[in-house]
Amino acid sequence: MRQYSADLTPPWKKPQPVPEVPADPGLVVEEPGTGFCGAVIRCEAGTVTLEDRFGKHRVFPLEPRGFLLEGRVVTLVRPSSSTGPVRPSRTASGSVAVPGARARVARAGRIYVEGRHDAELVEKVWGDDLRVEGVVVEYLGGVDDLPSIVADFAPGPDARLGVLVDHLVPGSKEWRIAEAVTSEHALVVGHPYIDIWEAVKPSSVGIDAWPRVPHGQDWKTGVCRALGWPPENTGAVWQAILARVGSYKDLEPELLGSVERLIDHVTVS
């Protein structure tokens, strides 16, 4: 007598097999039940720990069909012990990395920043993103001549200009200059800090807070004196500060938002 299976579920209603993916450190996945998206930082017996771009950690069970990878359902499994070097899955700015991506030919658009230190900080955190987008960052050496610089640049639909300004607060000199040059194709944004140094989180530098420097004194020199750093070599001090910046997590939100706005502005097609 022929034996029949007790499973009467139609084939089209049965769960389809999904790929098993090793939960290697750096793999970016989404847990669909919560919408939490992050990179794998740890995989232990039965669980995986994810870290999102804001540094928040969540632990999830390794259940079948439990995650989305690039929009596809997958089953995460513990990686083998013989995994090779981990390729970072995110850039220093928190964006998803594009392995093997070549730098794009430079756009006509530009991002201008006030000084060399600003340019070095933007390069360190957003450099990978900017190369993929073909965006060049140049420094001005101050904003006093910004109106004539913008006029010479002649921003337009195919050559958009973004400018990052220090200490951009209502009523300041920088504010008035920004108001004078802002247009549809020229965006000026900034942060409230006197100098780009102050946009680095104090905790990342190992201090409790950035010192207050009396009005009329050179800010960098005053900071160095207050903290016991060599005031005669602010360039070397800056390099030490910059070395403590590993990613966007080391920067204040006011700077992060401004730079992201500029990148969006100059990359509009």
Side-chain angles (χ1 to χ4, degrees):
M1 181 180 293
R2 181 178 295 177
Q3 300 294 319
Y4 292 93
S5 170
D7 185 2
L8 301 180
T9 305
W12 60 86
K13 288 189 176 181
K14 292 182 180 181
Q16 298 300 309
V18 300
E20 292 187 347
V21 178
D24 293 324
L27 180 73
V28 178
V29 294
E30 177 183 347
E31 199 286 316
T34 60
F36 189 90
C37 182
V40 174
I41 60 170
R42 188 180 307 110
C43 186
E44 300 170 326
T47 66
V48 61
T49 303
L50 305 181
E51 179 186 54
D52 71 6
R53 66 174 297 166
F54 303 105
K56 184 177 180 180
H57 291 185
R58 290 282 297 272
V59 180
F60 298 100
L62 285 175
E63 295 180 342
R65 307 172 63 90
F67 297 88
L68 298 177
L69 175 62
E70 298 180 348
R72 296 170 53 240
V73 177
V74 298
T75 296
L76 289 187
V77 296
R78 292 190 69 183
S80 66
S81 58
S82 59
T83 55
V86 175
R87 180 186 298 275
S89 61
R90 290 189 179 269
T91 67
S93 72
S95 300
V96 176
V98 184
R102 294 183 177 181
R104 177 173 173 169
V105 175
R107 295 173 181 263
R110 291 288 187 274
I111 291 178
Y112 289 162
V113 297
E114 281 206 48
R116 182 185 297 274
H117 294 179
D118 306 67
E120 290 175 343
L121 184 59
V122 169
E123 162 60 27
K124 183 161 189 180
V125 177
W126 287 274
D128 289 339
D129 306 43
L130 294 168
R131 278 182 285 277
V132 168
E133 295 290 350
V135 178
V136 175
V137 175
E138 301 178 8
Y139 67 91
L140 302 169
V143 297
D144 290 349
D145 297 326
L146 187 57
S148 61
I149 292 172
V150 172
D152 290 340
F153 186 88
D158 298 323
R160 299 167 72 89
L161 178 64
V163 184
L164 180 69
V165 177
D166 297 341
H167 196 233
L168 191 62
V169 296
S172 66
K173 175 190 70 174
E174 292 82 2
W175 180 272
R176 293 190 293 272
I177 292 174
E179 289 286 292
V181 302
T182 297
S183 67
E184 179 183 1
H185 303 300
L187 175 66
V188 181
V189 298
H191 54 76
Y193 308 112
I194 295 175
D195 190 275
I196 197 68
W197 290 20
E198 205 176 5
V200 179
K201 290 180 178 178
S203 58
S204 298
V205 185
I207 58 177
D208 294 330
W210 289 103
R212 292 185 176 275
V213 177
H215 183 70
Q217 291 188 19
D218 178 73
W219 190 85
K220 291 186 178 75
T221 302
V223 164
C224 289
R225 287 173 176 159
L227 295 174
W229 297 343
E232 69 280 357
N233 195 346
T234 56
V237 171
W238 166 245
Q239 291 305 315
I241 295 170
L242 188 62
R244 303 295 293 272
V245 176
S247 74
Y248 69 95
K249 299 176 186 178
D250 296 306
L251 304 180
E252 297 290 357
E254 291 85 351
L255 177 65
L256 296 176
S258 292
V259 176
E260 295 289 350
R261 284 183 63 196
L262 292 179
I263 295 174
D264 289 345
H265 174 75
V266 300
T267 56
V268 170
S269 299

